Amino acid sequence: AQSVTQLDSQVPVFEEAPVELRCNYSSSVSVYLFWYVQYPNQGLQLLLKYLSGSTLVKGINGFEAEFNKSQTSFHLRKPSVHISDTAEYFCAVRAYSSASKIIFGSGTRLSIRP
Amino acid sequence: GAVVSQHPSWVICKSGTSVKIECRSLDFQATTMFWYRQFPKQSLMLMATSNEGSKATYEQGVEKDKFLINHASLTLSTLTVTSAHPEDSSFYICSAAPRGGASTDTQYFGPGTRLTVL
């Protein structure tokens, strides 16, 4: 079984400031890791994913995440946020099969202040 | 890129009626589709896994007779909320796993359907 914990339900930051959204996971099997973004009243958009290889993964919109196996973490970062980054962010895991279900964290609401 | 559509995008119905939501993979075949429910300001909770040509697998606590899932073809899965009540009001999202895809393939999400039961 897998589970995902997002430590912060809300993260307010000022525009152009850096941000880190934290994510920890647990799993009895090897998993792939994902970050999704959901803008108000919309579906999910994949930001980035970790499958294997380099532990630093770069995604869309200037986001990146680092996989840390020993700490079972997959924190999301952006060096300078914009108003348009205001959204809900979900960390997720999935077992290796592409037909496996995705387990989502509870989400982190990122609010950007001008 | 791969596209998944959902229809309708929003629906309002009276309590006691049934509502059908469609999930289609537009440019790929999907052996497996998933249905999620998202309450306001909450995360996505998996309701069921839908496999083409077989019965859906429901998560614990999800009523099979209330949420009917049919995956009749490799590009279409439907979720029918039977005898809907106000507590069923939610955002329903589907995702699709490409047929024959590699283990690293991404699942693709639909845009969601907002159901409001009066």
Side-chain angles (χ1 to χ4, degrees):
Chain A
Q2 299 98 46
S3 67
V4 180
T5 302
Q6 291 184 244
L7 300 168
D8 307 296
S9 59
Q10 293 187 59
V11 174
V13 295
F14 287 104
E15 193 173 15
E16 298 184 5
V19 70
E20 178 180 82
L21 306 183
R22 297 179 293 170
C23 171
N24 287 88
Y25 71 95
S26 67
S27 177
S28 56
V29 299
S30 296
V31 294
Y32 296 133
L33 297 151
F34 306 85
W35 275 98
Y36 289 89
V37 59
Q38 184 179 36
Y39 298 102
N41 298 311
Q42 295 187 28
L44 296 181
Q45 182 178 1
L46 180 66
L47 268 181
L48 48 79
K49 59 184 177 182
Y50 175 76
L51 304 177
S52 65
S54 173
T55 57
L56 183 63
V57 181
K58 293 189 182 298
I60 62 172
N61 301 341
F63 284 93
E64 63 181 31
E66 186 156 20
F67 169 59
N68 187 317
K69 188 173 182 178
S70 63
Q71 297 185 5
T72 61
S73 68
F74 190 52
H75 300 333
L76 181 70
R77 303 186 183 99
K78 185 169 183 178
S80 176
V81 295
H82 301 285
I83 292 287
S84 59
D85 293 322
T86 298
E88 190 85 19
Y89 292 80
F90 294 97
C91 181
V93 300
R94 194 200 84 203
Y96 277 4
S97 167
S98 63
S100 297
K101 58 187 179 184
I102 296 176
I103 306 300
F104 288 90
S106 55
T108 297
R109 182 169 300 275
L110 178 62
S111 58
I112 312 299
R113 301 170 177 175
Chain B
V3 177
V4 174
S5 70
Q6 284 185 238
H7 178 78
S9 55
W10 58 271
V11 57
I12 301 173
C13 69
K14 294 182 179 180
S15 184
T17 60
S18 295
V19 175
K20 180 185 284 188
I21 302 170
E22 293 184 348
C23 175
R24 291 182 185 273
S25 55
L26 298 183
D27 49 1
F28 66 98
Q29 293 182 328
T31 310
T32 304
M33 291 183 173
F34 302 87
W35 287 97
Y36 296 85
R37 180 169 52 184
Q38 185 181 30
F39 291 110
K41 298 185 179 181
Q42 294 188 27
S43 186
L44 282 76
M45 298 301 296
L46 181 66
M47 299 175 66
T49 301
S50 168
N51 290 295
E52 187 267 338
S54 63
K55 291 183 178 180
T57 302
Y58 291 81
E59 294 299 301
Q60 191 172 8
V62 177
E63 301 175 58
K64 300 178 183 180
D65 296 331
K66 181 168 186 62
F67 298 99
L68 301 179
I69 292 173
N70 185 300
H71 194 155
S73 78
L74 288 171
T75 59
L76 174 64
S77 176
T78 60
L79 168 68
T80 301
V81 184
T82 62
S83 186
H85 292 285
E87 57 265 30
D88 298 323
S89 298
S90 187
F91 195 48
Y92 292 86
I93 302 175
C94 71
S95 73
R99 178 190 187 194
S103 64
T104 53
D105 280 357
T106 304
Q107 290 177 18
Y108 299 95
F109 284 83
T113 296
R114 185 163 301 284
L115 170 63
T116 301
V117 184
L118 303 176

